[in-house]
C-alpha cells in the first residue's frame, strides 16, 4: 500500500510539473508572438518616419526652387535663371521619388557610415541652393547602430531643409563629433528675419525619433546662429 501511495504521489507530482512546464511553454510562445508583433510594428513605424523624412526633405527643397523660379520671373524677368531653377526642381522631384522607393529597402540593408551620409547631404544642399555647406568631423569614427544613423541623417536633412526655407542664401555648417560614449551632430546657419523660433512637424518628428533611439534634440538661436543640436548614445 505504501508503495502504491508513493507511486501515485510521484505520478501526480509529475503531472503537476508537466502542466506547469506546458503553461510556461505557452507563456513563452505568447511572449515571442507579442515580441514579434511589437518588432513588426516598430519596423512599420520606422519605415513611415523614413518615408516622411525623405518626402519632407525633397518637397521642401522643391518648394524653395519653385519659389525662386517664380521670383526670378516676376521680379527680374530672368528667364534663364528661372529655367535653371525649374530644371533643378525637376531633378529634385526625380531624386525624391527614387529615395522614397528605396526607403524601405534602405532600412533593411546595412546603412552607410554616418560621416559619408552626412557629407553627401551637405554637398547636395550646397549644389541645390548655391551656398557653402561646410562639414567637419571630430573624434575617432566608429560603427553605430542603424537606428542611430538613420535618426541623425534625418535630423541633418530636416535642419538643412529648414535652413533653405527660412534662411535662403545663407551658408550652413555641419559638425559631427564622436565622444567617448555619445555622438553629437550640430547644424547651424546665420539667423535671419525668416528664422522661425517654433518647431514644425519635421523637427518634432526628429525629436521623437531620437528619443526612441536614446537621443535628444535641442534647437534655437545661439551666438547669432540658428542651431540644431542632436546627441545620441552610441
Amino acid at each position: 500500500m505504501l508503495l502504491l501511495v508513493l507511486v501515485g504521489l510521484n505520478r501526480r507530482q509529475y503531472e503537476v510539473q508537466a502542466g506547469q512546464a506546458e503553461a510556461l511553454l505557452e507563456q513563452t510562445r505568447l511572449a515571442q508572438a507579442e515580441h514579434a508583433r511589437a518588432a513588426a510594428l516598430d519596423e512599420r513605424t520606422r519605415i513611415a518616419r523614413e518615408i516622411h523624412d525623405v518626402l519632407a526633405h525633397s518637397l521642401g527643397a522643391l518648394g524653395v526652387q519653385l519659389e525662386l523660379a517664380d521670383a526670378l520671373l516676376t521680379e527680374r524677368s530672368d528667364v534663364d535663371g528661372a529655367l535653371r531653377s525649374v530644371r533643378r526642381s525637376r531633378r529634385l522631384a526625380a531624386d525624391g521619388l527614387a529615395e522614397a522607393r528605396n526607403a524601405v529597402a534602405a532600412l533593411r540593408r546595412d546603412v552607410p557610415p554616418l560621416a559619408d551620409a552626412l557629407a553627401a547631404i551637405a554637398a547636395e544642399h550646397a549644389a541645390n541652393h548655391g551656398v557653402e555647406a561646410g562639414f567637419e568631423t571630430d573624434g575617432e569614427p566608429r560603427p553605430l547602430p542603424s537606428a542611430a544613423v538613420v535618426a541623425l541623417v534625418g535630423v541633418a536633412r530636416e535642419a538643412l531643409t529648414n535652413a533653405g526655407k527660412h534662411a535662403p542664401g545663407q551658408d550652413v555648417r555641419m559638425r559631427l563629433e564622436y565622444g567617448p560614449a555619445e555622438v553629437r551632430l550640430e547644424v547651424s546657419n546665420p539667423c535671419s528675419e525668416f528664422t522661425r523660433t517654433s518647431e514644425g512637424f519635421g523637427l518634432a518628428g526628429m525629436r521623437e525619433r531620437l528619443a526612441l533611439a536614446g537621443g535628444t534634440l535641442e534647437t534655437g538661436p545661439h551666438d547669432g546662429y540658428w542651431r540644431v543640436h542632436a546627441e545620441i548614445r552610441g
Side-chain angles (χ1 to χ4, degrees):
M1 288 291 296
L2 179 60
L3 181 60
L4 291 175
V5 170
L6 291 175
V7 170
L9 290 175
N10 185 60
R11 181 175 181 179
R12 183 175 180 181
Q13 183 178 8
Y14 172 78
E15 291 175 349
V16 171
Q17 291 177 345
Q20 291 175 343
E22 185 177 355
L24 181 60
L25 182 61
E26 180 64 21
Q27 291 177 354
T28 302
R29 284 197 295 264
L30 291 175
Q32 291 174 343
E34 181 63 23
H35 177 74
R37 188 188 71 83
L41 180 60
D42 181 65
E43 182 69 8
R44 288 196 296 269
T45 302
R46 289 179 58 202
I47 291 171
R49 285 180 179 148
E50 180 66 12
I51 293 175
H52 165 266
D53 295 342
V54 167
L55 292 179
H57 170 72
S58 301
L59 294 177
L62 178 61
V64 171
Q65 291 299 322
L66 292 176
E67 288 178 5
L68 177 60
D70 181 70
L72 289 172
L73 285 174
T74 58
E75 298 177 8
R76 302 182 185 178
S77 299
D78 185 355
V79 177
D80 292 337
L83 182 59
R84 287 193 297 270
S85 182
V86 169
R87 287 172 177 167
R88 283 195 295 267
S89 300
R90 184 172 59 187
R91 186 176 67 251
L92 286 169
D95 292 344
L97 288 174
E99 288 184 22
R101 292 190 187 102
N102 294 332
V104 175
L107 285 173
R108 298 182 183 277
R109 295 196 302 264
D110 290 336
V111 296
L114 178 58
D116 293 348
L118 294 178
I121 292 173
E124 179 186 6
H125 179 83
N128 290 337
H129 295 271
V131 299
E132 291 187 9
F135 174 69
E136 60 180 2
T137 62
D138 186 27
E140 185 66 26
R142 59 180 178 272
L144 296 173
S146 59
V149 175
V150 171
L152 290 175
V153 169
V155 168
R157 281 178 176 163
E158 189 65 30
L160 292 178
T161 297
N162 287 344
K165 286 182 181 179
H166 307 307
Q170 298 287 346
D171 296 338
V172 297
R173 298 184 302 185
M174 189 184 304
R175 177 181 175 85
L176 176 66
E177 180 181 352
Y178 290 90
E182 68 285 327
V183 178
R184 290 180 286 272
L185 172 66
E186 182 171 299
V187 183
S188 60
N189 58 271
C191 290
S192 70
E193 59 180 327
F194 301 103
T195 302
R196 295 182 180 178
T197 57
S198 60
E199 289 188 0
F201 178 76
L203 281 178
M206 289 299 96
R207 187 185 299 277
E208 181 181 353
R209 167 179 285 185
L210 280 170
L212 290 174
T216 58
L217 179 68
E218 297 178 358
T219 63
H222 181 75
D223 292 338
Y225 286 82
W226 183 263
R227 185 183 68 165
V228 175
H229 180 86
E231 182 172 323
I232 193 167
R233 296 188 64 81

